[in-house]
Amino acid sequence: MAESLWPHGPAASWPTRCRPEWFAGLPVLVAGLGRSGRAAARHLADAGADVIACDDNPDLDAGELAAVGVKTHLGPDAVGLLQGRRLLVVAPGLPEAHPLIQAALAAGVPVWSEVELAGRVATMPLVGVTGTNGKTTTTELAAAMLAASGLPAVAAGNVGLPLVDAVLARRPPAAVVAELSSFQLRFTVTLRLAAGAWLNFAPDHLDWHPDLAAYADAKARIWANQGPDDWSVYAADDPVVTGHAASAPGMPVPFAVGRAAPGGLGVEAGVALSRIPGHEGGLWRAAALRLPGRHNLANALAASGLALALGAHPAAMARTVAAFRAGPHRLATVGEVRGVAFVNDSKATNPHAAARALAAFPRVVWVAGGRNKG
């Protein structure tokens, strides 16, 4: 069927926000059947879309998708499945160079991440976090600050819960804080965040992105569709981040572990301080934060910016900071032997993260290993 005759019209005319039922009848290919891919396929099928799902792994169990009417193809050589499809939704595990993605781009078939799909059907405000490191801690802390302020919020996205599951939950939250990897952001088109925080930038994931510039450009998409009333929260001490922030369309909100810049967040006399117009004042005591390292102090400032954007209260934020503990494998003390503390930081999967963790302690014996990601 010619694009001009397709009932949904050309992709450029598709709504940026819509009810899930808008996708009824749309031929969609979902590629990659990890957690987010399965969620996308399931919700699209529930909405009445014509869904085919595929994965390079021939041994996956796709029975749950067949039960909701999703046709599946397991194993390589899935490019032919694009025939007649009007949308490709890709899981973050598929690199940009994957033959299916390249074939879709060459054929003019729109390529979305599951995050783009979720953003289109969301009815609540979304805020997001990206960066080479610190995303999960910042995401969970911001969600906890909002919940403590009386705004039921959940952490979703790269943190574990697919964003589309969060926004289409039977009892949807009042707000969602999304952890957003560069993989997820690369294939967003219209995603708009009421506040987006970019924490830091360091070389990573060059086994996925074509080069370092492409990696940075994908991160910068966290601000791509913001309006002047949305908050662009950025690390003032990171030259790559600040360079991209200069062209962000939202209201710039810098943060740094030091004096708060006008319109931003900082730490002065041991107190996290906001100089954001309409939100000026102290927020919480730096000594109350139980997460070690200056990098975690910066993460907490970024989380505060996201929470303030949605109306969090400083008293509730202070309680949250004092009670918050990082998740497993993030500078987690696992025991002490003869006065020597053993710390598990196995979530540090790149040199930038490892260096920040080592800097949190005066003396360290480092046991390390891992895989080179380019």
Side-chain angles (χ1 to χ4, degrees):
M1 182 182 294
E3 182 78 67
S4 60
L5 299 179
W6 179 246
H8 290 78
S13 70
W14 294 357
T16 58
R17 288 288 178 103
C18 61
R19 294 182 59 83
E21 291 78 14
W22 183 88
F23 291 91
L26 186 70
V28 183
L29 177 61
V30 177
L33 297 182
R35 188 177 297 179
S36 65
R38 288 172 186 259
R42 188 176 64 252
H43 286 291
L44 285 165
D46 287 345
D50 172 15
V51 184
I52 299 175
C54 63
D55 195 285
D56 290 342
N57 184 350
D59 300 321
L60 286 181
D61 181 1
E64 66 175 273
L65 295 179
V68 295
V70 175
K71 300 178 284 290
T72 57
H73 171 93
L74 300 179
D77 304 320
V79 171
L81 299 175
L82 278 172
Q83 183 68 33
R85 299 288 104 181
R86 295 300 182 218
L87 174 65
L88 174 64
V89 177
V90 295
L94 269 70
E96 188 173 344
H98 192 281
L100 189 57
I101 293 176
Q102 291 301 307
L105 294 174
V109 177
V111 181
W112 293 0
S113 66
E114 172 261 330
V115 163
E116 172 67 18
L117 173 65
R120 300 232 181 186
V121 298
T123 57
M124 70 290 292
L126 307 177
V127 298
V129 182
T130 198
T132 303
N133 300 303
K135 295 185 295 295
T136 300
T137 296
T138 305
T139 299
E140 293 177 341
L141 186 49
M145 288 175 171
L146 289 167
S149 298
L151 187 71
V154 299
N158 200 51
V159 72
L161 174 67
L163 187 58
V164 73
D165 277 347
V167 303
L168 293 179
R170 184 168 299 177
R171 294 184 178 179
V176 179
V177 185
E179 177 184 334
L180 300 171
S181 71
S182 59
F183 309 158
Q184 294 167 313
L185 287 167
R186 166 63 182 89
F187 292 112
T188 56
V189 183
T190 66
L191 177 69
R192 179 173 179 176
L193 302 172
W198 187 352
L199 305 178
N200 46 58
F201 182 81
D204 199 10
H205 300 306
L206 296 180
D207 54 349
W208 199 100
H209 295 284
D211 52 43
L212 200 58
Y215 176 39
D217 288 344
K219 291 287 190 190
R221 293 205 60 74
I222 195 165
W223 300 321
N225 299 300
Q226 289 189 313
D229 294 329
D230 302 320
W231 293 19
S232 304
V233 182
Y234 69 95
D237 59 354
D238 189 304
V240 174
V241 176
T242 55
H244 282 275
S247 58
M251 181 181 77
V253 180
F255 68 90
V257 180
R259 184 172 179 80
L265 299 154
V267 178
E268 299 181 22
V271 174
L273 186 69
S274 168
R275 296 191 186 276
I276 302 169
H279 303 272
E280 296 92 343
L283 302 176
W284 38 268
R285 291 185 306 107
L289 184 67
R290 299 291 296 274
L291 308 179
R294 287 173 59 87
H295 64 293
N296 275 319
L297 193 54
N299 293 340
L301 288 171
S304 298
L306 296 176
L308 284 173
L310 295 187
H313 306 301
M317 295 165 67
R319 292 194 300 271
T320 302
V321 165
F324 187 79
R325 302 292 183 271
H329 315 294
R330 293 175 174 84
L331 285 182
T333 299
V334 295
E336 186 172 308
V337 180
R338 298 176 186 173
V340 177
F342 286 76
V343 177
N344 173 3
D345 194 50
S346 53
K347 278 291 185 179
T349 59
N350 56 62
H352 183 260
R356 289 192 165 195
L358 295 173
F361 304 97
R363 297 174 63 200
V364 173
V365 174
W366 185 31
V367 181
R371 178 175 61 87
N372 185 358
K373 295 181 285 182

